[in-house]
Amino acid sequence: MNLSMGPGKKEKKNIHLDYDTVIIGAGVAGLYQLYRLRELGLKVRTFEAGSGVGGTWYWNRYPGARFDSESWTYGYSFSQELMDEWDWKENFSAQPENERYLNFVADKFNLRENIQFNATVVSTQYHDDRRYWEIILENGDCYTSRFLITAIGILSAPTMPNISGVSDFKGVSFHTYYWPKEEIDFEGKRVGVIGTGATAVQLIQEVAKTAGHLTVFQRTPNWCAPLHNRPITAEEQKEIKTSYEEIFAKCRASYAGFMHDSDRRRALQVSDEERQAFYEKLYREPGFGIWMGNFRDMLVDERANTTISEFVAGKIRERVKDPAIAAKLVPTNHGFGTRRVPMETHYYEVYNQDNVQLVDLRETPISRITEAGIETSDEMHEFDMIVYATGFDAVTGGYSQIDIRGSGGRTLTDKWADGVRTFLGLQIEGFPNMFTLVGPHNAASFCNIPRCIEQNVDWMADLMTRVKVDGLNRIESTAEAEEEWTGHVHLMAQRMLFSKTNSWFTGINSNIEGRDQRSVLLYAGGAPGYRDKCDEVAAADYAGMILH
Ligand code: NA7
């Protein structure tokens, strides 16, 4: 097939390629990137492992899965028509509706015609001589493309616990990411859930409603905060529809793309009464306000952070009747907001129910999984169903699942062996013509994700316009630019308390060998600063990148 790019001033011979650009993934990022590139008249193909669109919202079908972002800040902002036509039903919309939305988008813009479903990319290799990527699917099919854009998400490589006997269990079991499409009934069942991260917290509240008996296996308690979800009224719907411009402007100006942005005061600058009153207000309000809209030093100063941790600990003790159980649920090894804050509705009250038991794995660790259930150091727990809410090989895991080989055949695994290095979290030196939407070191990895995705995608679309106009065929960042950006990312992370805490934010995963040392994966400098930097690079004719 012919390369449909521009005249290719620097192109010596007419190379036949299958595509101008291949996108991996048809989630929130991949869908919008496909839309933008197709608009430019490029020949684009998207390979998607699932049988439908949606990415995160396609895979995570477990009961309770929903946005922690206000729904009306999560949708795409690029099409007025889309915003006019779509009605969010709840302030924090649930997975079935979110998947329906992304399907609506795919249909509205006829995106499916460029997407190949059930198409898992297993390897990609850059060919220096011909300046293209070869993309190989699980079924052996092979395609060539000038550019390769990954839209594989930061939480797309689920990890099972490294506990012996996982495959011995005779009952029903799933990782939350691979929740089946058919409805699962917990009525009267004995259910065990391993994990108490954001996923587990959403799920546990649902399972506890009907399960005969639910046992939660907790290794590390997290600081959870009330979501305060409710339906959107007709009146509010009208208001939302007329306010999109202001909503998105507010998100754009905020640190992490939310409606919530930090309070300009410092925690210890105000009186105790004023501080308590502020925390009470935040605790009563919906969404991430208590995390993202708190005192400005909350996430960087330990003394400030202690004040909110003590406040939330008090709430946990108030809500959980048995003081011994409450004590197990209060985190002791990290401060509030230094790990991802799970959002909840009656989560703590679940532990007041007769059908729910909390097992503290710090006291009685799991020894193995058997045919019948989970054995801890002091008890055998028998189950009909075990749910693994054990998290992900976060941020870089999606890349490790694909054998990615850049210039000279160097693997990405080898390139990142001593730590992740990127330019803008969008490009990697030695991997020409490959771009990583929401990649490591990209502000989108710590953001109300669609807001930052749109920035990533628009920036890519501008670059691709340039490619088309000038007939470019090789783009790569320089080692110096990569080093400078990586240094900046590390500096930004250092000041944050989360960088001193073990969690997926810092690449810790007890289920993967060798992943017990913290690393810098996220960009903590804030979305506005990140956007400015990307804009500066583009305005300076893509300074830091070599364009051929
Ligand atoms: P998380 O936040 O990584 O949580 C995983 C949970 O599973 C966490 O409580 C872990 O305990 C626990 N876990 C993992 N492995 C084990 C083993 N082997 N034994 C016992 N317990 C284990 O993943 P989530 O899916 O909840 O959330 C990921 C993101 O998705 C979330 O932040 C949102 O942005 C959406 P640990 O804390 O490691 O002691």
Side-chain angles (χ1 to χ4, degrees), residues 30-49:
L31 287 178
Y32 181 43
Q33 188 70 79
L34 170 58
Y35 170 81
R36 288 298 316 268
L37 295 188
R38 225 181 42 180
E39 256 195 336
L40 294 177
L42 300 184
K43 195 166 175 207
V44 194
R45 187 73 166 164
T46 297
F47 294 115
E48 165 56 53

Side-chain angles (χ1 to χ4, degrees), residues 445-488:
S445 57
F446 194 64
C447 189
N448 182 9
I449 211 158
R451 302 280 59 79
C452 287
I453 280 174
E454 285 189 337
Q455 179 276 341
N456 272 207
V457 168
D458 291 341
W459 189 87
M460 273 311 306
D462 287 348
L463 178 57
M464 285 300 171
T465 307
R466 174 75 200 279
V467 162
K468 192 175 176 192
V469 169
D470 288 353
L472 305 174
N473 57 37
R474 193 179 195 278
I475 301 175
E476 183 186 3
S477 36
T478 64
E480 295 73 36
E482 186 178 81
E483 197 177 318
E484 198 187 316
W485 178 253
T486 302
H488 170 66

Side-chain angles (χ1 to χ4, degrees), residues 123-127 132-135 403-406 408-410:
S123 69
T124 61
Q125 158 96 58
Y126 184 70
H127 290 264
Y132 65 55
W133 281 91
E134 191 175 60
I135 294 111
D403 180 6
I404 301 175
R405 289 166 193 262
R410 186 177 190 190

Side-chain angles (χ1 to χ4, degrees), residues 155 161 194-199 219-220 339-340 389-392 504 511:
L155 296 160
I194 303 183
T196 49
T199 299
R219 188 167 61 185
T220 312
R339 294 174 123 209
R340 200 323 189 148
T390 45
F392 298 86
W504 70 259
N511 302 310

